Structures are given as structure tokens and as C-alpha cells.
């Protein structure tokens, strides 16, 4: 019927356009090499193409950081791939005039324990650790080349300027034009805060140091 024909046409339009965006063969060898000829590198290149085509939110997942076993063997492969691809993404967005309107948030949900577990079966593994870890922000109004906060010498505890998840999210929301103190309706129609209350004052809350 008419409905099925229209739905088919919609699928053809959506997936036809998507196939072009994900066709990395349209990029030069120089650009593909710049990102790194590995899965994560090419995913970062696909992300740039999605942003360029008007997609508003893109997630790049690079799994395998849960390094309970043989941490250093994994990092010798993953860190160069990460460094190459993320730096290429930032440079490419900048070269194309897209970085000022694109926020890049790089991080995980927790860090790795500073203590290395050398005994079997871990053989140089590191456990979960949520007390102190780093996040990178770039573009979209964030100032580059700056560090906010510091850990102690062992990376075990925050030494100065703690940044909590609500501070990070609130800063991103503000640069996106969303009031971090605003509300939105829940499924029952009640107005609820989009974030817990954020502390205010110098060295607290929203990341004014890099905004």
C-alpha cells in the first residue's frame, strides 16, 4: 500500500545517504593514513565525515581498556592508535572549520588503579579505580592547551581542583546552550533537574578556567 511504499522510500533515502558518509574510499590515502589504518583510526575519520554531513551527536567506542590482565602489552598497541587518531581528528576538524562548533569529549567512566598487580593470573594488570582519572575536552568553546586540576605524585588522589561528573556535564551543556540548572519533565510529567546542584565559586563547579 501507500504506507509501505513511503516507508521503503524513506529507508532508501536514509541508508543511501548514510552509505555515502561511511564510504571512506572517498577520502585520500593521505587523510586515511593520518588517522591510522586501524579500526579506531578509521572510526574517527568516519566521525569527522558524520559531523561534516550535519549529524549532531557521534559516539566513537574504543573498547578493551579494562586491562585487568597484561595491561602494558595492551597499552603498547592501544596508546599509539589513540594518540594518532585523536590528534588527527582534532586537526582535521580544525582544518575544515568545524572544531569551533564541535565539542570533543574523550574519556571513560573511571580510571585504572595505580598499583600494578604483577602476580598470576593478572601478570601486570590494573584494576578499576574511580578516585582519580583524566578527561580531555576540545573545541566548541573550550580553550586548548590547558590543564585543570592535578593528582598527587602517584595518581592515587586528587591533589587540587577536583572536577566531578556534574561539573563536566554542566560545562558541556552550557557551551551547547543548555542551562545546567534547568529542568525537564520525567515520564510522569514532573519537572526534574537535569543535573545535581553544581558548586559555585573560584576553583569549583563549571570549568571556567577553560571556557
Amino acid at each position: 500500500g501507500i504506507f509501505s511504499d513511503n516507508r521503503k522510500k524513506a529507508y532508501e533515502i536514509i541508508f543511501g545517504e548514510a552509505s555515502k558518509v561511511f564510504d571512506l574510499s572517498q577520502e585520500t590515502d593521505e587523510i586515511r593514513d593520518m588517522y591510522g589504518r586501524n579500526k579506531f583510526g578509521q572510526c574517527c575519520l568516519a566521525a569527522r565525515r558524520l559531523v561534516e554531513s550535519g549529524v549532531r551527536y557521534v559516539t566513537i567506542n574504543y573498547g578493551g581498556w579494562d586491562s585487568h590482565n597484561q595491561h602494558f602489552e595492551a597499552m603498547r598497541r592501544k596508546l599509539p592508535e589513540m594518540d594518532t587518531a585523536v590528534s588527527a581528528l582534532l586537526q582535521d576538524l580544525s582544518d575544515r572549520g568545524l572544531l569551533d562548533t564541535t565539542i570533543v569529549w574523550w574519556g571513560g567512566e573511571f580510571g585504572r588503579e595505580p598499583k600494578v598487580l604483577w602476580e598470576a593470573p593478572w601478570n601486570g594488570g590494573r584494576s578499576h579505580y574511580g578516585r582519580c582519572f583524566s578527561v580531555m575536552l576540545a573545541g566548541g568553546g573550550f580553550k586548548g592547551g590547558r590543564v585543570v586540576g592535578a593528582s598527587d605524585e602517584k595518581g592515587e588522589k586528587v591533589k587540587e581542583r577536583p572536577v566531578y561528573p556534574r561539573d563536566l556535564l554542566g560545562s558541556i551543556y552550557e557551551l551547547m546552550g543548555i542551562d545546567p540548572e534547568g529542568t525537564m519533565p520525567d515520564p510522569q510529567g514532573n519537572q526534574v533537574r537535569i543535573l545535581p546542584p553544581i558548586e559555585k565559586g573560584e576553583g569549583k563547579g563549571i570549568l571556567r578556567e577553560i571556557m
Side-chain angles (χ1 to χ4, degrees):
I2 296 175
F3 175 77
S4 60
D5 289 343
N6 287 342
R7 184 170 59 181
K8 180 181 179 182
K9 184 177 181 180
Y11 273 111
E12 289 174 349
I13 293 172
I14 293 171
F15 289 104
E17 291 300 315
S19 65
K20 295 177 184 177
V21 174
F22 288 107
D23 182 7
L24 302 186
S25 67
Q26 297 184 26
E27 299 287 337
T28 65
D29 286 340
E30 181 182 7
I31 289 292
R32 297 195 69 178
D33 292 342
M34 181 176 77
Y35 279 87
R37 294 282 186 153
N38 53 73
K39 182 178 180 181
F40 177 69
Q42 299 303 291
C43 283
C44 287
L45 175 53
R48 189 225 79 207
R49 290 175 61 83
L50 287 166
V51 170
E52 199 170 30
S53 70
V55 175
R56 301 294 296 275
Y57 189 92
V58 180
T59 299
I60 309 168
N61 182 27
Y62 189 21
W65 297 87
D66 200 8
S67 52
H68 291 279
N69 302 81
Q70 298 180 315
H71 169 85
F72 297 98
E73 288 85 343
M75 293 304 105
R76 278 193 285 269
R77 175 178 58 84
K78 298 179 75 65
L79 290 176
E81 291 183 356
M82 174 68 76
D83 288 344
T84 298
V86 172
S87 61
L89 176 61
L90 296 178
Q91 186 65 58
D92 206 6
L93 288 170
S94 178
D95 290 345
R96 294 167 189 270
L98 296 169
L99 188 58
D100 288 343
T101 55
T102 305
I103 293 175
V104 179
W105 167 12
W106 172 75
E109 71 272 35
F110 50 75
R112 309 305 306 176
E113 185 180 16
K115 180 182 178 181
V116 178
L117 305 175
W118 292 110
E119 65 274 13
W122 314 117
N123 301 318
R126 296 175 68 186
S127 297
H128 296 173
Y129 198 78
R131 295 182 185 177
C132 184
F133 58 97
S134 301
V135 168
M136 184 199 78
L137 294 167
F142 285 111
K143 299 174 183 176
R146 307 187 185 196
V147 177
V148 177
S151 70
D152 62 14
E153 64 276 7
K154 293 183 179 180
E156 291 181 320
K157 299 177 182 179
V158 175
K159 182 178 180 181
E160 61 184 53
R161 191 9 173 146
V163 178
Y164 299 96
R166 62 180 183 267
D167 305 329
L168 172 65
L169 292 171
S171 302
I172 293 172
Y173 285 167
E174 185 168 311
L175 288 180
M176 292 174 64
I178 301 170
D179 181 3
E181 297 184 353
T183 63
M184 63 183 299
D186 67 10
Q188 287 72 43
N190 303 308
Q191 291 294 320
V192 297
R193 295 183 61 100
I194 62 174
L195 287 174
I198 298 174
E199 289 189 71
K200 297 181 180 180
E202 186 176 352
K204 296 180 180 180
I206 298 295
L207 299 169
R208 300 294 177 200
E209 301 95 322
I210 55 173
M211 293 169 65

